[in-house]
Amino acid sequence: NNVKSLQLLDKQLLDRLANSTGNLLDDTELIEVLANTKAKAKEVEQKLADSDEKKIEINEKREQYRPVATRGSVMYFCMTDMTMVSNPITAQPSGWMYNCSLNQFLHEFDVSVQRSEKVQPTSKRVDKIIDKLTYQVYRYMNRGIFERDKLMFKLMMTMRIMSMASQLTAGDVGTFLKAGSALDLKAERPNSYRWMPDKVWLNVIQLSRSHFGSEGLHFFRELPDFIARNEAAWRKFFDENEPENVHIPDYEERVLMERSIGPFLRLVLV
C-alpha cells in the first residue's frame, strides 16, 4: 500500500509537470504536489525500512521453529509409509488399513503445539514441541495398528529420527536390514565354527567391513578375530535367548562409550 501511494503521487506529479504552463515557480498546485510527494516519499521510505526489519525478525523467529517442521515431516511420512506393510504370513499387502490423511496428521500436530509446555527461551519451547509431537503421533498410530506391526513402526520411527539427526547414515540402515545377505560364502573367509550357521558368519564378515555413523566408525573391524580368540564367550552369547540384555564379549565397554549410536550398534550385532 505504501509503495502504491508513492507511485500514485509520482504519477500526479508527472501529470502536473506535463500539463503545467507558464512559470513552474508560480504554479502553487504543482509546488504543493511536489511537497506532498517529498514528504510521502520520506514516510514510505521509513515504513519500508521498518517492514524490512520486521521481515528479518519474522524470518529469524521462523527459522528457530524449523526443527519442529523437520520432525513433523519425519513423523508424517512414518505414518503414511505404514501403508506398505505386508502380512508376514500371507505376504499379501495389508497396509491399506493404515491409510492416513494429511488432515489427520495436522490435527495431531496442532494438538502437540497447543498441549506442549510453554517455556522460554525459544530453543526449549522447540524441544518441548518436538517431544510432544513425537509422542502424540506415536500414541495415535499405536492405537490403530496390529500388535505385530507396532515394533516395526517404533523401529522405523527411531531410525528415521536418528538419520535426520545425522546419527545414522543410509549405509548403517542398509547394514542393519541386509547385513551379509549379498556376500558369496565361497568367496569369503571360511566358517570354522560348527555352532554358527553360514548365514550368521556372512553377517559377521559384513559387520567387520561396515562403517557406522557420520564419522564412519569402523566399530566391528576385529569381530572375526575376537570370536576366534574368545570362542566360548561368543558361543554363549550366541545361544542366549535375550542377547540384547547380556554383556557383549569384547565390546561391552566400547558400546557403552558410544552414547549416540551405542544402542544401535548393540541392535545390529544382535
Side-chain angles (χ1 to χ4, degrees), residues 9-196:
L9 289 173
D10 287 341
K11 185 177 183 300
Q12 291 175 352
L13 178 60
L14 291 173
D15 288 342
R16 293 295 305 177
L17 287 171
N19 298 324
S20 178
T21 57
N23 191 345
L24 295 178
L25 297 178
D26 295 334
D27 192 339
T28 56
E29 291 186 9
L30 176 61
I31 294 174
E32 184 178 345
V33 170
L34 182 60
N36 289 338
T37 302
K38 184 178 179 180
K40 187 65 176 178
K42 289 184 177 180
E43 180 185 348
V44 170
E45 184 179 351
Q46 183 60 46
K47 288 183 177 179
L48 290 176
D50 294 341
S51 175
D52 289 338
E53 290 180 2
K54 285 293 182 183
K55 286 181 180 178
I56 294 174
E57 183 180 348
I58 291 172
N59 286 334
E60 288 177 351
K61 289 186 178 296
R62 183 173 61 185
E63 286 300 317
Q64 290 178 336
Y65 285 90
R66 187 171 293 278
V68 176
T70 301
R71 178 60 58 87
S73 68
V74 170
M75 301 308 297
Y76 172 69
F77 287 110
C78 283
M79 290 173 62
T80 58
D81 285 351
M82 286 299 291
T83 58
M84 295 185 286
V85 169
S86 298
N87 188 305
I89 299 176
T90 64
Q92 295 298 315
S94 60
W96 57 269
M97 294 180 291
Y98 300 151
N99 276 320
C100 296
S101 69
L102 179 59
N103 286 336
Q104 287 174 283
F105 169 76
L106 289 177
H107 176 265
E108 300 304 316
F109 186 91
D110 291 341
V111 169
S112 302
V113 174
Q114 294 166 7
R115 296 182 181 176
S116 56
E117 185 179 352
K118 311 299 189 294
V119 294
Q120 291 293 336
T122 303
S123 58
K124 289 187 177 180
R125 170 69 172 144
V126 168
D127 290 340
K128 294 294 184 181
I129 296 175
I130 289 175
D131 291 343
K132 183 66 176 178
L133 174 62
T134 305
Y135 182 68
Q136 185 75 19
V137 173
Y138 163 71
R139 285 292 306 274
Y140 178 80
M141 288 297 293
N142 202 53
R143 288 195 298 265
I145 59 181
F146 288 121
E147 195 68 31
R148 66 168 185 257
D149 296 329
K150 290 181 178 181
L151 183 61
M152 180 181 63
F153 178 72
K154 287 187 284 188
L155 178 64
M156 178 174 66
M157 186 178 72
T158 302
M159 288 200 297
R160 288 191 178 181
I161 290 173
M162 293 181 70
S163 296
M164 187 62 68
S166 298
Q167 293 177 337
L168 296 182
T169 66
D172 299 336
V173 177
T175 298
F176 172 73
L177 295 176
K178 297 182 293 184
S181 60
L183 299 181
D184 183 1
L185 183 63
K186 297 180 181 179
E188 302 297 339
R189 178 176 171 178
N191 178 15
S192 58
Y193 310 106
R194 293 184 178 181
W195 51 271
M196 182 184 295

